[in-house]
Amino acid sequence: MTTTLMVRITRLTPVAKGVVALELRSADGRELPAWSPGAHVDVHLAPGLTRQYSLCGDPADRSVWRIAVRREEPGRGGSQHVHDRLSERDLIEVGEPRNHFPLLPAPRYLFLAGGIGITPILPMLAAAEAPWELHYAGRTAASMPFRDELPADRRVTLHPEDECGRIDLDALLSRHEPGTLVYCCGPEGMLRAVEEGCARWPGRPLRLERFTPAPAEGPDEAFEVELARSGRTLTVPAGRSILDVVEAAGVGVLSSCREGTCGTCETTVLAGAVDHRDTLLTAEERAADDTMFLCVSRSRGPRLVLDL
């Protein structure tokens, strides 16, 4: 079981069209666990309904966490539950913060946010110790949460699509010096455009965070997994995940999202080639083939050896 704690919603307020912010405080009055910019938490909304939300408040303030949730129509049920069922004073269960999108040292930063994708980037702006620039896109100004909290200076440019058209990501990337570390969080179309742009303009290392699963790619064939610590070899058939097979065999693995976005089921790979299908690892981390997420990733060969 993952470590969880009870928190109380002490404030629930609209912060943009279709977006609410929740302030969470420990139910027993204790300090909340520490976190760093880019971290997210699992929020257990109801049995079988767990979602991950980025922390977007002040990491130095251990008395309160803040998350923001955009209502998705249609969605998978999480955002509707938050908007329709939760109220101030409600108690909810949350996990401890995890960070697969950390702010790394760099000579300069380019932050790119789309809509609710501003949430993990917001605390990075305050923590960055090098020059930075933010370009924040949304369908309309009214739909862009926390825009009033951003510094009112030349480092910040808002791009409401109804006023100035779509953001020219390739032009932005082309004019930034090699070595600029690019952080991007937003809708899938924006993320793919930034990935393609960084490939055209080398020397702009890229860190992405996705809120939804990446499109499934690659073959779905059977393979074997050897569990080194358990001394067992299991067959993972087409159509089933490693996580499902391992759990069915009675081997405990921590998990949460089951779609490659939260990082809970990360497992060390001792041998074999991984077909990475998560949204978390960088290209360099994938090339190393020493870790994987069991809920979505598969094998590129007949066998994997895992530290389980």
Side-chain angles (χ1 to χ4, degrees), residues 193-265:
V194 173
E195 285 180 310
E196 293 167 2
C198 285
R200 285 193 293 271
W201 298 99
R204 284 88 171 155
L206 174 62
R207 302 284 301 191
L208 296 176
E209 179 160 78
R210 284 177 163 91
F211 290 135
T212 56
E217 297 178 355
D220 189 14
E221 299 176 352
F223 57 93
E224 290 185 339
V225 289
E226 178 184 337
L227 310 184
R229 281 188 279 144
S230 304
R232 304 180 65 179
T233 297
L234 306 173
T235 297
V236 180
R240 293 191 71 191
S241 70
I242 300 175
L243 180 61
D244 287 341
V245 170
V246 168
E247 287 182 333
V251 179
V253 178
L254 297 179
S255 66
S256 179
C257 74
R258 309 184 83 91
E259 57 188 21
T261 60
C262 77
T264 307
C265 66

Side-chain angles (χ1 to χ4, degrees), residues 47-120:
L49 188 62
T50 298
R51 295 292 182 265
Q52 293 74 42
Y53 298 110
S54 295
L55 292 167
C56 56
D58 179 4
D61 187 352
R62 299 278 299 277
S63 69
V64 62
W65 286 346
R66 182 174 69 171
I67 61 173
V69 182
R70 178 181 298 282
R71 186 185 188 97
E72 300 292 344
E73 298 280 8
R76 297 174 297 145
S79 67
Q80 292 97 322
H81 185 98
V82 171
H83 281 254
D84 297 340
R85 304 285 298 277
L86 295 184
S87 304
E88 292 182 0
R89 306 301 299 166
D90 282 352
L91 289 171
I92 54 175
E93 190 176 10
V94 299
E96 292 195 347
R98 293 192 305 276
N99 198 341
H100 290 276
F101 192 51
L103 181 65
L104 303 177
R108 66 197 69 84
Y109 299 97
L110 172 61
F111 296 108
L112 303 171
I116 198 66
I118 191 64
T119 51

Side-chain angles (χ1 to χ4, degrees), residues 130-289:
W132 58 265
E133 187 175 308
L134 167 69
H135 290 264
Y136 179 17
R139 293 180 180 175
T140 66
S143 71
M144 298 165 67
F146 306 123
R147 64 189 185 280
D148 295 335
E149 295 186 15
L150 299 171
D153 57 41
R154 290 185 297 175
R155 295 177 297 174
V156 175
T157 304
L158 302 182
H159 299 263
E161 187 176 337
D162 64 334
E163 297 177 24
C164 50
R166 290 196 172 185
I167 184 172
D168 190 341
L169 295 168
D170 201 54
L172 280 176
L173 294 167
S174 69
R175 69 178 176 79
H176 278 80
E177 300 176 30
T180 299
L181 181 50
V182 181
Y183 277 82
C184 181
C185 185
E188 183 62 29
M190 182 181 196
L191 298 175
R192 288 196 171 244
V194 173
E195 285 180 310
E196 293 167 2
C198 285
R200 285 193 293 271
W201 298 99
R204 284 88 171 155
L206 174 62
R207 302 284 301 191
L208 296 176
E209 179 160 78
R210 284 177 163 91
F211 290 135
T212 56
E217 297 178 355
D220 189 14
E221 299 176 352
F223 57 93
E224 290 185 339
V225 289
E226 178 184 337
L227 310 184
R229 281 188 279 144
S230 304
R232 304 180 65 179
T233 297
L234 306 173
T235 297
V236 180
R240 293 191 71 191
S241 70
I242 300 175
L243 180 61
D244 287 341
V245 170
V246 168
E247 287 182 333
V251 179
V253 178
L254 297 179
S255 66
S256 179
C257 74
R258 309 184 83 91
E259 57 188 21
T261 60
C262 77
T264 307
C265 66
E266 184 171 9
T267 300
T268 298
V269 179
L270 302 177
V274 181
D275 177 5
H276 295 284
R277 301 186 182 188
D278 62 275
T279 65
L280 298 164
L281 297 179
T282 65
E284 293 78 11
E285 291 166 337
R286 292 184 176 206
D289 256 359

Side-chain angles (χ1 to χ4, degrees), residues 27-42:
D28 61 11
R30 298 181 184 179
E31 281 193 336
L32 293 165
W35 61 280
S36 57
H40 68 263
V41 293
D42 290 345

